[in-house]
Amino acid sequence: MARPIWSGSLSFGLLNIPVSLMSGERRTDLSFRMLDSRDKKPIRFERVNADTGEEVPWKDIVKAFEYDKGSYVVIEKEDIAAAAPESHESVDVETFVDAASINLRYFEKPYVLVPGKKAEKGYVLLRETLKSSGKVGIAKVVIRTREYMCAVMPDGPALVLILLRYPQELVDFDEYKLPEGKPADYRLAPKELQMAEQLIDSMTSEWNPADYHDEFRARLSDIIKKRIKSAGATTKFEEPEPREDAATNVVDFMSLLQQSLQSNKRTPAKKASAAKKAPTSKQAPAKAAKATSAPKKAAKKAASRKAS
């Protein structure tokens, strides 16, 4: 049983649906380790000072940004903590848009939203409403230490959360030399276009992902299995016990929907979110206190990883 990345809530308007964020993909890449061909011992990668050649311990390593060739500015842990979003387990839908209005290039990585105990009614309510309206929810979500833009959309019995790329992450088509203009500009005859359409029609079928397999990985996996068998090597791994979701209370959805509709005349989502991001002078000290505590937590996590 897969473990949730986090357990929190999915909210829109005044409705709050307890959910767990689960991975929506399964990595099937084969991972290799580099060995010394002479004695088949693992290769170790060390952190070495480029000038002295000496190994550098983790405690003496700092992060820096190269703003010019060979010129760096050191970024302190406090700087990173201050820029990082506040860690919270929630998906707050800010607006709904037509599903067809999102260009495919924006979609990046899928997750599955699994309802918590006694949260099925709200889950189904949002899922079916999105299906019938053809809309998707646009939200922000924090995964580990980074904030992402995401889309919440229905897919069969599930609500899926798909991370979206920001516009600046996409390459502008103007950077490449692409053929623009009409087909006639490239001496394409109507007959050629007609024949191409006929060819596509003759090759058209229903999309069935199960028909496609990673044949290279399958063949390589067979080779690895034979090698393991000939060497007599075995390995064991025990899956950790999954944690259970917290129980939730029954919610009056009709009342919350009515309240959300009545309060929908407030400031638009963009302005509201901008107002949230601009802290007042009274709020600033509290945020600074949270920022300074973040490095200590990161240090404790790093220490626990080393100990394990």
Side-chain angles (χ1 to χ4, degrees):
M1 182 70 178
R3 298 180 65 182
I5 295 165
W6 55 252
S7 294
S9 62
L10 166 64
S11 65
F12 64 103
L14 297 179
L15 275 74
N16 193 294
I17 307 167
V19 293
S20 291
L21 185 68
M22 309 290 288
S23 177
E25 63 179 351
R26 180 176 288 108
R27 294 288 184 179
T28 58
D29 295 338
L30 296 173
S31 180
F32 296 99
R33 183 73 186 270
M34 290 193 228
L35 305 179
D36 188 326
S37 63
R38 296 167 296 181
D39 58 6
K40 303 299 185 294
K41 293 294 187 294
I43 301 297
R44 185 174 64 191
F45 293 90
E46 298 177 340
R47 302 167 299 280
V48 177
N49 186 304
D51 186 33
T52 64
E54 297 178 356
E55 185 174 359
V56 183
W58 276 113
K59 65 182 182 65
D60 294 332
I61 294 178
V62 296
K63 294 182 184 292
F65 176 77
E66 187 175 14
Y67 62 91
D68 202 358
K69 186 68 175 177
S71 299
Y72 304 89
V73 58
V74 174
I75 306 299
E76 302 293 344
K77 291 181 180 180
E78 291 78 7
D79 299 324
I80 297 173
E86 293 183 23
S87 179
H88 59 277
E89 288 78 31
S90 66
V91 180
D92 301 317
V93 176
E94 297 180 356
T95 187
F96 292 92
V97 302
D98 290 331
S101 66
I102 305 177
N103 189 292
L104 292 177
R105 294 197 300 152
Y106 283 95
F107 292 107
E108 183 174 8
K109 186 175 182 179
Y111 290 88
V112 180
L113 292 167
V114 179
K117 290 181 179 179
K118 300 183 181 179
E120 291 84 358
K121 182 176 180 180
Y123 189 91
V124 173
L125 171 66
L126 179 57
R127 183 190 68 195
E128 296 306 312
T129 306
L130 291 178
K131 283 183 180 180
S132 60
S133 64
K135 307 285 186 183
V136 300
I138 302 299
K140 295 272 183 77
V141 61
V142 175
I143 299 178
R144 297 181 178 91
T145 59
R146 183 183 167 187
E147 185 178 60
Y148 297 87
M149 176 172 62
C150 63
V152 176
M153 52 201 310
D155 187 2
L159 279 174
V160 296
L161 182 150
I162 301 181
L163 298 187
L164 300 176
R165 297 181 177 92
Y166 286 101
Q168 60 268 30
E169 296 179 276
L170 297 179
V171 177
D172 197 306
F173 290 149
D174 292 338
E175 295 187 23
Y176 302 110
K177 187 176 181 181
L178 302 172
E180 299 181 10
K182 301 177 181 178
D185 297 337
Y186 301 92
R187 293 180 291 181
L188 274 173
K191 186 67 175 176
E192 290 174 308
L193 291 170
Q194 183 182 358
M195 292 180 65
E197 289 179 6
Q198 291 175 351
L199 175 60
I200 291 174
D201 287 340
S202 68
M203 297 176 64
T204 299
S205 62
E206 293 292 329
W207 163 242
N208 184 12
D211 292 340
Y212 301 88
H213 305 279
D214 187 347
E215 296 180 4
F216 168 76
R217 179 183 177 277
R219 289 193 294 266
L220 190 55
S221 294
D222 289 340
I223 293 173
I224 292 173
K225 289 176 183 176
K226 290 178 181 177
R227 292 282 177 87
I228 292 174
K229 189 175 181 180
S230 63
T234 59
T235 183
K236 293 182 179 180
F237 179 75
E238 294 182 1
E239 290 283 353
E241 289 294 325
R243 69 183 185 190
E244 295 185 358
D245 297 329
T248 57
N249 297 323
V250 178
V251 181
D252 183 356
F253 290 101
M254 186 62 69
S255 173
L256 290 175
L257 287 169
Q258 289 175 345
Q259 292 179 54
S260 297
L261 288 172
Q262 290 171 0
S263 62
N264 200 33
K265 297 179 182 179
R266 65 185 187 283
T267 308
K270 288 185 178 179
K271 293 183 180 178
S273 62
K276 289 180 183 177
K277 289 182 180 178
T280 63
S281 58
K282 293 181 179 179
Q283 294 171 326
K287 294 245 179 182
K290 289 183 179 179
T292 55
S293 63
K296 295 179 181 178
K297 293 181 180 178
K300 288 182 179 179
K301 288 183 179 178
S304 63
R305 286 197 200 100
K306 286 186 177 181
S308 61

